Amino acid sequence: MANKGPSYGMSREVQSKIEKKYDEELEERLVEWIAAQCGPDVGRPDRGRLGFQVWLKNGVILSKLVNSLYPDGAKPVKVPENPPSMVFKQMEQVAQFLKAAEDYGVTKTDMFQTVDLFEGKDMAAVQRTLMALGSLAVTKNDGHYRGDPNWFMKKAQEHKREFTESQLQEGKHVIGLQMGSNRGASQAGMTGYGRPRQIIS
C-alpha cells in the first residue's frame, strides 16, 4: 500500500469537507454503545477522529460488536485471539465486519468502504454505518442489544393490514379520484375540429 502525502488544491478542499461531517458528540455515544455491547475489555479510544480510527482500524472491535448482536451459537465473524498486525489481514477483518453488517440488514448506502476507515478518508461514513447497525439492533428488539435504547432511532417497520373478502369487494365499487372525475366538465361552446369559429358582428 502506497503512502499518501498531503493533498493540495481541490483534493484538499474535498477532504476538508468530508472531515467536517465527522461528529464528535456522536463519537462519544458510539464509544459508549460499543463498550456496553462488547464489554470493558475493548477499552476506549483517544478522543477525536484519529483516536477513533486507530481504535477500530484492525477490525477486531467491529467484529466483536457485530458478533454481540447474534446468539451464542451463530457468530458470523471469526475474531482472532491476537489482533492482526499485517495490513491485508486487518483490511480483511474489516471486510468481514462489513459483510456481517450487511447480512444483519444494514443497507449498502449506509456502508462505509474499507479504505474510509483504514486510511481515515471518511470517518463520518464509519459513524453512519455504526448508527445504522445500532438502529437495526434497537428495532429488532431480540434481546441482544445492550445499552440505552434512546441512543438510536428505531427504524420504521412494516404494518401489514388484512382485509376481509367483503371489504375488498366494497373497494371495487368506489371510484378513486386518481381515475379522474367528470364533474364540472362540459362541452358547451366547443366547435367541431377544423371548423372556424363563427364571429357575428
Side-chain angles (χ1 to χ4, degrees), residues 29-143:
R29 188 179 347 151
L30 289 170
V31 169
E32 288 299 322
W33 175 52
I34 293 169
Q37 192 71 38
C38 302
D41 61 319
V42 293
R44 292 190 179 262
D46 295 335
R47 287 187 63 110
R49 201 166 47 82
L50 185 63
F52 193 59
Q53 179 209 355
V54 169
W55 190 51
L56 300 175
K57 188 175 178 178
N58 65 14
V60 172
I61 291 172
L62 293 173
S63 301
K64 286 180 179 178
L65 176 65
V66 78
N67 280 349
S68 70
L69 298 172
Y70 284 87
D72 281 341
K75 305 292 184 198
V77 181
K78 188 176 185 297
V79 180
E81 286 183 30
N82 298 321
S85 56
M86 297 172 80
V87 170
F88 76 93
K89 285 284 188 190
Q90 292 177 348
M91 290 180 90
E92 191 178 285
Q93 195 71 38
V94 172
Q96 286 180 30
F97 159 76
L98 291 171
K99 169 83 173 77
E102 192 175 337
D103 292 345
Y104 191 73
V106 178
T107 58
K108 280 193 182 299
T109 53
D110 285 333
M111 298 293 253
F112 67 87
Q113 301 293 311
T114 307
V115 293
D116 291 339
L117 170 61
F118 205 80
E119 294 179 4
K121 283 185 180 284
D122 189 357
M123 289 304 292
V126 175
Q127 288 183 322
R128 194 170 51 246
T129 302
L130 292 174
M131 283 298 291
L133 187 64
S135 294
L136 273 169
V138 168
T139 305
K140 286 187 179 186
N141 196 17
D142 55 6

Side-chain angles (χ1 to χ4, degrees), residues 171-180:
K172 289 181 180 176
H173 303 296
V174 175
I175 297 175
L177 286 176
Q178 293 96 327
M179 295 178 192

